Amino acid sequence: MKKKFYRALTIAGSDPSGGAGIQADLKTFSALGCYGMSAIVAVVDENTVGVTGVHPIPVEFVTGQIRSCIDDIGVDAVKIGMLHSSALIRAVRTILDEYPLITNIVLDPEI
């Protein structure tokens, strides 16, 4: 019998220390037996003590990453983390509205 892997996409910023963001999400997906994909919205300079810098990725590039994953591999679930601007928030919503079969969406913004 062929094993089915659920396909999970994280849309978030990076955390080079691995405790949050894309890196933590991908580790969690893997631990749960999911095929993990990512759309990186910002490169972040941070460690376990705090954030010292954020370099946002342009909205058009982020939306391209999202579409590339959905159109090629498909997505069963989406986890949304840090979104750096209202324009990016609107763009992510627009894309997810275009794919009504994706109904498993978790919004987990940083505060």
Side-chain angles (χ1 to χ4, degrees), residues 5 11 19 21 23 32 34 75 79 91 93-94 96 100 109:
F5 285 91
I11 304 169
Q23 288 85 342
L32 295 172
C34 295
V75 172
K79 192 268 188 181
R93 178 183 175 175
T94 297
L96 294 179

Side-chain angles (χ1 to χ4, degrees), residues 34-75:
C34 295
Y35 180 84
M37 297 167 280
S38 61
I40 300 174
V41 304
V43 179
V44 181
D45 177 8
E46 75 176 280
N47 57 27
T48 60
V49 179
V51 176
T52 55
V54 177
H55 181 73
I57 305 298
V59 172
E60 299 77 26
F61 197 81
V62 174
T63 57
Q65 293 177 77
I66 296 168
R67 287 183 198 286
S68 291
C69 291
I70 295 172
D71 291 341
D72 178 31
I73 299 167
V75 172

